[in-house]
Structure formats: structure tokens, C-alpha cells
Amino acid sequence: MHRRILGLDLGVASIGWAYLLADETNAENSQILHVGVRIVPLTTDENDEFTKGNAISKNRARTLKRSLRRGQHRYKLRKHLLRKALRPLGMQPDAALFALTTEELYGLRDRAARERVSRPELGRILFHLNQKRGYRDSRKGGQSEEEKESDYLGKITERHRLLQEQGLTVGQYLFRLIQEDPHVRLKQRIFYRHDYEAEFDKIWETQQPHYPDVLTPALRRHLRDHIIYYHRPLKSQKGLVGECRFERFR
């Protein structure tokens, strides 16, 4: 009487296997029909996840890295276009303005929302606003109720509520936090995109009467909607790619 047996040898980074035809009456008549080994090609991090029994997706890691590269490239492109637009208007910041401390920079944003600042100082503020643009939901249907109540979005919504209650811009709110505690961490304090856009609008409306010949409606539209807060169209699910275009300022 014969039985077919599959034998497995599970290793850390490989799986050995053998397919046997076993003779239960006489072991000497048993035969090895097939034998082999499967190497698991994992990196150190992937191997750690594999040994923990976690699911591994190489595509997910590639997608994350590609998204980071694209985000960095788009930031550099916005920065280049911003510099190109500001330099002819005398709004390009000098090295001293780029060397401002965190407290001085947020203090400048606070002051620009209330009183006149120089054109290079206004340019430095625009460069700073270009760095962090806030959270924006790209889906047509918006956020579901469960998402709005999630911990991450809940904190963003709470910060938005505080801005509305206190009548502050994002820069003014963060400047007050720094004044209360010079060592406060600002990196994880995320705001909605429209909160940053509201700060842009308030600073522009405060500075425009002082520079009416420079801060024109056309320049505002170009800087705000086509550079700093430009958002590329979503890609079609049918394979049609929306092109990322920055409108030329005239």
C-alpha cells in the first residue's frame, strides 16, 4: 500500500519541500518524487514583518517612496515658481530673512496679519506658507461621519474650532504657543488647507493697501491659486491622466 506525502521544512528565509511516494509495507521501496527549496527574497525589515506573521506588500512600500519623491519634487517646483514671480517685484527675501528663528518667523506672520511689513518680509512669509499647506480631502464626497470623528481628523477639527473662536490665523495661533513654551513642538499640529488659505487672504488684505501697485488681484490669484495652493486634478480611473499645469502669470 502506497501513500503520497508532502514534507515541509520551514526556515527563517526559505521553505524546503519533498514529495514522497511511501510504501507502508516496505520503507525501502519508498520513492522521492520531487524535491526543492523556495527562497523567500526579503529585506531585513520585510523579514522582521514576515517572522511576526504580518502581511507584506512590496508595492505599498514602493508607492509610499514614490509619493514622497513626487511631493518633494512638487514642493521644489512651487518654490522655484514663487521665487520667479517675487524677484521682479522686489519681494525676494534676503539671506537674513531666511535665517530667522522659528519664533521670529511666526512673529512676522503674526505682525503681517495686523500691520504693514516690508515687501521682502512679505515674500519670506509666502515662502513659509508654501512649506506647509495643511490637510485637504481630495475625495468628491468629502469625509464620512466616522472619518470626521477619528482621532487624527478630530484634532484638526478642534484646532480649526479654536482658530474660529479666538479669531486667529494659523500663524498667530502657533506664535502664541511658542511664546507660552519656546520648546513646544509644532510639527504634528496639522490644520486644514482652508485655514492656511484664510491666513493668506488676511495677510494679503492687510498688506494690499500699503502696496496697491504691486499686490494686484492678478498677482494674488497667481500666487494663491496657481502656485502655493495649487492642487492638481485627480487621475481618471479609466487611465486618463490629468496634467499638472501651473498657469502663467501675466
Side-chain angles (χ1 to χ4, degrees), residues 58-74 232 235:
K58 290 187 176 180
N59 289 337
R60 179 176 177 273
R62 293 194 194 102
T63 300
L64 178 60
K65 292 179 181 179
R66 183 167 60 249
S67 298
L68 292 175
R69 289 196 301 271
R70 286 177 176 173
Q72 185 66 13
H73 170 72
R74 288 167 184 158
R232 68 184 180 86
K235 292 183 179 180

Side-chain angles (χ1 to χ4, degrees), residues 28-214:
E28 294 182 358
N29 293 332
S30 299
Q31 301 177 39
I32 299 178
L33 302 179
H34 299 284
V35 66
V37 63
R38 178 70 171 89
I39 303 298
V40 182
L42 300 177
T43 64
T44 303
D45 294 336
E46 293 171 341
N47 185 65
D48 292 340
E49 295 297 314
F50 177 73
T51 54
K52 294 176 183 177
N54 297 331
I56 299 174
S57 173
K58 290 187 176 180
N59 289 337
R60 179 176 177 273
R62 293 194 194 102
T63 300
L64 178 60
K65 292 179 181 179
R66 183 167 60 249
S67 298
L68 292 175
R69 289 196 301 271
R70 286 177 176 173
Q72 185 66 13
H73 170 72
R74 288 167 184 158
Y75 164 68
K76 290 181 178 179
L77 179 58
R78 294 196 310 270
K79 187 176 180 180
H80 167 74
L81 294 173
L82 189 58
R83 184 182 296 111
K84 185 178 180 180
L86 297 182
R87 186 179 289 119
L89 303 174
M91 296 174 63
Q92 173 66 24
D94 57 19
L97 285 172
F98 278 112
L100 293 178
T101 65
T102 301
E103 183 174 0
E104 290 172 337
L105 188 52
Y106 280 101
L108 182 60
R109 282 171 59 172
D110 170 61
R111 187 158 55 88
R114 297 181 288 104
E115 59 188 56
R116 178 177 180 173
V117 296
S118 68
R119 281 190 283 181
E121 287 176 329
L122 178 58
R124 180 65 184 96
I125 292 171
L126 295 177
F127 273 100
H128 197 213
L129 291 175
N130 182 54
Q131 286 183 257
K132 293 184 179 181
R133 305 191 301 164
Y135 173 82
R136 180 182 187 274
D137 187 9
S138 301
R139 289 162 296 184
K140 293 182 179 179
Q143 304 164 6
S144 66
E145 290 301 321
E146 292 183 358
E147 290 172 325
K148 290 180 180 179
E149 295 176 357
S150 67
D151 184 59
Y152 178 77
L153 292 181
K155 291 180 179 178
I156 299 178
T157 302
E158 176 62 20
R159 296 186 192 107
H160 170 72
R161 185 184 63 79
L162 289 175
L163 293 181
Q164 298 299 308
E165 290 180 351
Q166 300 177 21
L168 301 174
T169 65
V170 175
Q172 290 175 323
Y173 174 79
L174 295 177
F175 180 55
R176 280 155 177 72
L177 291 182
I178 296 173
Q179 288 182 310
E180 294 173 2
D181 179 9
H183 304 291
V184 65
R185 291 180 59 85
L186 304 180
K187 188 175 182 179
Q188 301 302 323
R189 299 180 185 275
I190 312 299
F191 293 85
Y192 286 117
R193 172 74 57 83
H194 55 77
D195 289 328
Y196 282 98
E197 292 172 338
E199 178 176 7
F200 179 97
D201 293 339
K202 185 169 184 178
I203 290 176
W204 191 276
E205 290 167 3
T206 302
Q207 301 303 317
Q208 196 278 333
H210 302 293
Y211 307 103
D213 296 335
V214 176

